[in-house]
Short mmCIF file of all heavy atoms in Angstrom, two decimals:
data_model
loop_
_atom_site.label_atom_id
_atom_site.label_comp_id
_atom_site.label_asym_id
_atom_site.label_seq_id
_atom_site.Cartn_x
_atom_site.Cartn_y
_atom_site.Cartn_z
N GLU P 26 90.81 120.98 94.99
CA GLU P 26 91.08 119.83 94.17
C GLU P 26 90.61 118.58 94.93
O GLU P 26 90.79 118.42 96.13
CB GLU P 26 92.58 119.74 93.89
CG GLU P 26 92.97 118.44 93.08
CD GLU P 26 94.46 118.31 92.95
OE1 GLU P 26 95.18 118.51 93.91
OE2 GLU P 26 94.90 117.91 91.86
N ASN P 27 89.95 117.66 94.21
CA ASN P 27 89.47 116.41 94.80
C ASN P 27 90.31 115.24 94.32
O ASN P 27 90.34 114.86 93.18
CB ASN P 27 88.03 116.23 94.32
CG ASN P 27 87.48 114.91 94.90
OD1 ASN P 27 87.97 114.33 95.90
ND2 ASN P 27 86.42 114.37 94.27
N ARG P 28 91.03 114.68 95.31
CA ARG P 28 91.80 113.44 95.05
C ARG P 28 91.00 112.27 95.72
O ARG P 28 90.59 112.37 96.87
CB ARG P 28 93.14 113.54 95.71
CG ARG P 28 94.12 114.48 94.99
CD ARG P 28 95.56 114.31 95.46
NE ARG P 28 96.50 115.04 94.61
CZ ARG P 28 97.78 114.73 94.46
NH1 ARG P 28 98.25 113.72 95.11
NH2 ARG P 28 98.53 115.47 93.67
N THR P 29 90.83 111.19 94.92
CA THR P 29 90.07 110.07 95.40
C THR P 29 90.88 108.80 95.40
O THR P 29 91.60 108.56 94.51
CB THR P 29 88.80 109.88 94.46
OG1 THR P 29 88.00 111.02 94.46
CG2 THR P 29 88.03 108.61 94.97
N TYR P 30 90.78 108.06 96.51
CA TYR P 30 91.53 106.82 96.72
C TYR P 30 90.43 105.70 96.83
O TYR P 30 89.57 105.86 97.62
CB TYR P 30 92.40 106.87 97.92
CG TYR P 30 92.96 105.46 98.26
CD1 TYR P 30 93.84 104.80 97.43
CD2 TYR P 30 92.58 104.79 99.46
CE1 TYR P 30 94.29 103.52 97.75
CE2 TYR P 30 93.03 103.58 99.77
CZ TYR P 30 93.89 102.91 98.94
OH TYR P 30 94.36 101.64 99.24
N VAL P 31 90.68 104.60 96.06
CA VAL P 31 89.81 103.44 96.15
C VAL P 31 90.64 102.18 96.21
O VAL P 31 91.81 102.18 95.78
CB VAL P 31 88.81 103.34 94.97
CG1 VAL P 31 87.87 104.52 94.93
CG2 VAL P 31 89.62 103.24 93.67
N TRP P 32 90.10 101.11 96.86
CA TRP P 32 90.89 99.86 96.98
C TRP P 32 90.06 98.66 96.63
O TRP P 32 90.54 97.56 96.71
CB TRP P 32 91.42 99.70 98.41
CG TRP P 32 90.40 99.57 99.49
CD1 TRP P 32 89.78 100.54 100.15
CD2 TRP P 32 89.83 98.31 99.91
NE1 TRP P 32 88.89 100.01 101.06
CE2 TRP P 32 88.85 98.68 100.93
CE3 TRP P 32 89.92 96.96 99.61
CZ2 TRP P 32 88.12 97.73 101.61
CZ3 TRP P 32 89.18 96.01 100.25
CH2 TRP P 32 88.28 96.37 101.25
N ASN P 33 88.85 98.81 96.07
CA ASN P 33 88.05 97.68 95.59
C ASN P 33 87.22 98.04 94.36
O ASN P 33 87.08 99.21 94.05
CB ASN P 33 87.18 97.15 96.69
CG ASN P 33 86.17 98.16 97.22
OD1 ASN P 33 85.39 98.69 96.45
ND2 ASN P 33 86.24 98.48 98.55
N LYS P 34 86.72 97.04 93.75
CA LYS P 34 85.97 97.29 92.51
C LYS P 34 84.73 98.11 92.68
O LYS P 34 84.50 99.00 91.83
CB LYS P 34 85.52 95.87 91.94
CG LYS P 34 84.69 95.94 90.69
CD LYS P 34 84.36 94.53 90.19
CE LYS P 34 83.39 94.58 89.02
NZ LYS P 34 83.18 93.24 88.44
N GLN P 35 83.94 97.86 93.67
CA GLN P 35 82.78 98.61 93.94
C GLN P 35 83.01 100.10 93.99
O GLN P 35 82.29 100.93 93.40
CB GLN P 35 82.05 98.12 95.14
CG GLN P 35 81.42 96.66 95.00
CD GLN P 35 82.48 95.59 94.96
OE1 GLN P 35 83.59 95.74 95.55
NE2 GLN P 35 82.17 94.47 94.32
N ASP P 36 84.02 100.45 94.83
CA ASP P 36 84.38 101.86 94.96
C ASP P 36 84.92 102.49 93.70
O ASP P 36 84.60 103.63 93.34
CB ASP P 36 85.41 102.09 96.08
CG ASP P 36 84.82 101.82 97.49
OD1 ASP P 36 83.57 101.75 97.57
OD2 ASP P 36 85.56 101.67 98.41
N LEU P 37 85.65 101.72 92.91
CA LEU P 37 86.12 102.22 91.61
C LEU P 37 84.99 102.52 90.67
O LEU P 37 85.02 103.65 90.10
CB LEU P 37 87.14 101.16 90.99
CG LEU P 37 87.57 101.52 89.58
CD1 LEU P 37 88.56 102.70 89.59
CD2 LEU P 37 88.25 100.31 88.92
N LEU P 38 84.10 101.67 90.55
CA LEU P 38 82.96 101.83 89.62
C LEU P 38 82.09 102.96 90.11
O LEU P 38 81.31 103.58 89.25
CB LEU P 38 82.15 100.57 89.47
CG LEU P 38 82.99 99.28 88.88
CD1 LEU P 38 82.03 98.14 88.69
CD2 LEU P 38 83.68 99.74 87.60
N SER P 39 82.12 103.26 91.43
CA SER P 39 81.24 104.35 91.94
C SER P 39 81.93 105.73 91.87
O SER P 39 81.23 106.72 92.19
CB SER P 39 80.91 104.05 93.36
OG SER P 39 80.23 102.79 93.49
N VAL P 40 83.16 105.82 91.43
CA VAL P 40 83.83 107.08 91.37
C VAL P 40 83.10 108.01 90.37
O VAL P 40 82.79 107.67 89.24
CB VAL P 40 85.25 106.93 90.91
CG1 VAL P 40 85.90 108.29 90.57
CG2 VAL P 40 86.06 106.22 92.03
N ASN P 41 82.80 109.20 90.89
CA ASN P 41 82.21 110.25 90.03
C ASN P 41 83.37 110.99 89.34
O ASN P 41 84.06 111.85 89.97
CB ASN P 41 81.36 111.18 90.93
CG ASN P 41 80.59 112.23 90.06
OD1 ASN P 41 80.98 112.50 88.90
ND2 ASN P 41 79.55 112.81 90.69
N VAL P 42 83.52 110.78 88.06
CA VAL P 42 84.63 111.35 87.37
C VAL P 42 84.48 112.89 87.23
O VAL P 42 85.47 113.67 87.07
CB VAL P 42 84.83 110.71 85.98
CG1 VAL P 42 85.14 109.22 86.17
CG2 VAL P 42 83.57 110.90 85.11
N ASP P 43 83.22 113.37 87.23
CA ASP P 43 83.01 114.78 87.09
C ASP P 43 83.56 115.61 88.27
O ASP P 43 83.95 116.76 88.12
CB ASP P 43 81.46 115.10 86.89
CG ASP P 43 80.93 114.52 85.64
OD1 ASP P 43 81.68 114.47 84.65
OD2 ASP P 43 79.73 114.16 85.62
N THR P 44 83.61 114.93 89.46
CA THR P 44 84.13 115.62 90.60
C THR P 44 85.43 115.10 91.10
O THR P 44 85.96 115.48 92.14
CB THR P 44 83.10 115.50 91.75
OG1 THR P 44 82.86 114.11 92.08
CG2 THR P 44 81.75 116.11 91.40
N THR P 45 86.09 114.25 90.27
CA THR P 45 87.39 113.68 90.64
C THR P 45 88.42 114.24 89.78
O THR P 45 88.41 114.15 88.58
CB THR P 45 87.34 112.17 90.50
OG1 THR P 45 86.33 111.59 91.34
CG2 THR P 45 88.66 111.54 90.82
N ASP P 46 89.47 114.86 90.46
CA ASP P 46 90.55 115.45 89.69
C ASP P 46 91.73 114.49 89.51
O ASP P 46 92.36 114.44 88.49
CB ASP P 46 91.03 116.81 90.40
CG ASP P 46 89.95 117.78 90.46
OD1 ASP P 46 89.45 118.19 89.43
OD2 ASP P 46 89.63 118.19 91.59
N GLN P 47 91.94 113.73 90.59
CA GLN P 47 93.03 112.69 90.52
C GLN P 47 92.50 111.45 91.28
O GLN P 47 91.86 111.55 92.28
CB GLN P 47 94.31 113.17 91.14
CG GLN P 47 95.00 114.25 90.31
CD GLN P 47 96.40 114.63 90.87
OE1 GLN P 47 96.65 115.76 91.37
NE2 GLN P 47 97.38 113.75 90.82
N LEU P 48 92.86 110.23 90.66
CA LEU P 48 92.33 109.02 91.10
C LEU P 48 93.49 108.04 91.37
O LEU P 48 94.32 107.78 90.48
CB LEU P 48 91.37 108.44 90.12
CG LEU P 48 90.86 107.03 90.41
CD1 LEU P 48 90.01 107.02 91.66
CD2 LEU P 48 89.96 106.56 89.23
N LEU P 49 93.51 107.50 92.60
CA LEU P 49 94.46 106.44 92.96
C LEU P 49 93.70 105.21 93.37
O LEU P 49 92.81 105.28 94.24
CB LEU P 49 95.34 106.87 94.11
CG LEU P 49 96.26 105.88 94.75
CD1 LEU P 49 97.29 105.34 93.81
CD2 LEU P 49 96.96 106.45 96.02
N GLY P 50 93.97 104.05 92.74
CA GLY P 50 93.34 102.83 93.06
C GLY P 50 94.35 101.75 93.29
O GLY P 50 95.13 101.42 92.38
N LEU P 51 94.39 101.16 94.47
CA LEU P 51 95.30 100.09 94.80
C LEU P 51 94.49 98.88 95.26
O LEU P 51 93.97 98.88 96.41
CB LEU P 51 96.32 100.48 95.84
CG LEU P 51 97.18 101.76 95.50
CD1 LEU P 51 98.07 102.19 96.70
CD2 LEU P 51 98.09 101.47 94.28
N PHE P 52 94.41 97.82 94.42
CA PHE P 52 93.33 96.83 94.66
C PHE P 52 93.96 95.54 95.29
O PHE P 52 93.18 94.63 95.55
CB PHE P 52 92.71 96.51 93.29
CG PHE P 52 92.10 97.73 92.62
CD1 PHE P 52 92.79 98.32 91.56
CD2 PHE P 52 91.06 98.32 93.14
CE1 PHE P 52 92.25 99.43 90.94
CE2 PHE P 52 90.51 99.42 92.57
CZ PHE P 52 91.10 100.02 91.44
N GLU P 53 95.21 95.49 95.54
CA GLU P 53 95.81 94.32 96.25
C GLU P 53 97.01 94.76 97.02
O GLU P 53 97.70 95.81 96.64
CB GLU P 53 96.25 93.27 95.23
CG GLU P 53 95.09 92.32 94.74
CD GLU P 53 94.61 91.40 95.85
OE1 GLU P 53 95.48 90.81 96.59
OE2 GLU P 53 93.41 91.27 95.99
N PRO P 54 97.43 94.09 98.07
CA PRO P 54 98.71 94.39 98.76
C PRO P 54 99.84 94.26 97.81
O PRO P 54 100.80 95.05 97.86
CB PRO P 54 98.80 93.36 99.85
CG PRO P 54 97.36 92.96 100.09
CD PRO P 54 96.63 92.98 98.80
N SER P 55 99.82 93.18 96.91
CA SER P 55 100.90 93.06 95.95
C SER P 55 100.30 93.20 94.53
O SER P 55 99.53 94.13 94.29
CB SER P 55 101.58 91.67 96.11
OG SER P 55 102.65 91.49 95.20
N HIS P 56 100.58 92.22 93.67
CA HIS P 56 100.02 92.36 92.30
C HIS P 56 98.47 92.06 92.30
O HIS P 56 97.99 91.42 93.21
CB HIS P 56 100.65 91.33 91.41
CG HIS P 56 102.12 91.48 91.31
ND1 HIS P 56 102.77 92.63 90.86
CD2 HIS P 56 103.17 90.60 91.56
CE1 HIS P 56 104.09 92.47 90.94
NE2 HIS P 56 104.30 91.19 91.34
N CYS P 57 97.77 92.62 91.31
CA CYS P 57 96.37 92.21 91.16
C CYS P 57 96.29 90.75 90.89
O CYS P 57 97.19 90.10 90.35
CB CYS P 57 95.78 92.98 90.00
SG CYS P 57 95.61 94.74 90.24
N VAL P 58 95.19 90.10 91.24
CA VAL P 58 95.03 88.66 91.12
C VAL P 58 94.91 88.30 89.58
O VAL P 58 94.53 89.12 88.74
CB VAL P 58 93.80 88.13 91.81
CG1 VAL P 58 93.90 88.40 93.31
CG2 VAL P 58 92.53 88.68 91.29
N TYR P 59 95.31 87.07 89.32
CA TYR P 59 95.06 86.61 87.94
C TYR P 59 93.57 86.57 87.66
O TYR P 59 92.73 86.30 88.54
CB TYR P 59 95.60 85.14 87.80
CG TYR P 59 97.10 85.02 87.72
CD1 TYR P 59 97.81 84.41 88.75
CD2 TYR P 59 97.80 85.45 86.59
CE1 TYR P 59 99.19 84.23 88.70
CE2 TYR P 59 99.14 85.30 86.52
CZ TYR P 59 99.84 84.70 87.56
OH TYR P 59 101.22 84.54 87.45
N ASN P 60 93.24 86.85 86.37
CA ASN P 60 91.80 86.85 86.01
C ASN P 60 91.18 85.51 86.23
O ASN P 60 90.02 85.43 86.70
CB ASN P 60 91.66 87.19 84.50
CG ASN P 60 90.26 87.15 84.02
OD1 ASN P 60 89.41 87.95 84.40
ND2 ASN P 60 89.93 86.15 83.22
N LEU P 61 91.85 84.35 86.01
CA LEU P 61 91.29 83.08 86.27
C LEU P 61 91.02 82.90 87.72
O LEU P 61 89.93 82.26 88.10
CB LEU P 61 92.23 81.92 85.77
CG LEU P 61 92.35 81.70 84.29
CD1 LEU P 61 93.36 80.62 83.98
CD2 LEU P 61 90.95 81.29 83.75
N ASP P 62 91.85 83.44 88.63
CA ASP P 62 91.49 83.40 90.03
C ASP P 62 90.36 84.31 90.42
O ASP P 62 89.49 83.90 91.27
CB ASP P 62 92.74 83.78 90.88
CG ASP P 62 93.84 82.71 90.80
OD1 ASP P 62 93.53 81.57 90.44
OD2 ASP P 62 94.99 83.06 91.19
N ARG P 63 90.30 85.41 89.73
CA ARG P 63 89.17 86.37 90.02
C ARG P 63 87.85 85.69 89.64
O ARG P 63 86.86 85.80 90.44
CB ARG P 63 89.38 87.58 89.18
CG ARG P 63 88.35 88.71 89.43
CD ARG P 63 88.54 89.89 88.46
NE ARG P 63 88.31 89.51 87.11
CZ ARG P 63 87.09 89.29 86.57
NH1 ARG P 63 86.00 89.58 87.23
NH2 ARG P 63 86.93 88.92 85.30
#
């Protein structure tokens, strides 16, 4: 089984879903930033 962990946008968009069974993405220490701040 392939579990994939990512923590930024570039790695998320690069995830190969064909070879990924479970995906964990944590993009901030706390909440994700507001879109206006992004």
Side-chain angles (χ1 to χ4, degrees):
E26 180 186 39
N27 177 21
R28 289 190 171 207
T29 300
Y30 167 68
V31 296
W32 63 271
N33 59 59
K34 173 178 177 175
Q35 290 72 27
D36 288 347
L37 174 69
L38 299 184
S39 299
V40 168
N41 184 340
V42 297
D43 293 331
T44 59
T45 299
D46 298 304
Q47 289 186 248
L48 174 62
L49 172 63
L51 301 175
F52 305 106
E53 277 291 316
S55 184
H56 303 302
C57 294
V58 300
Y59 285 112
N60 177 68
L61 283 177
D62 288 344
R63 186 185 63 80

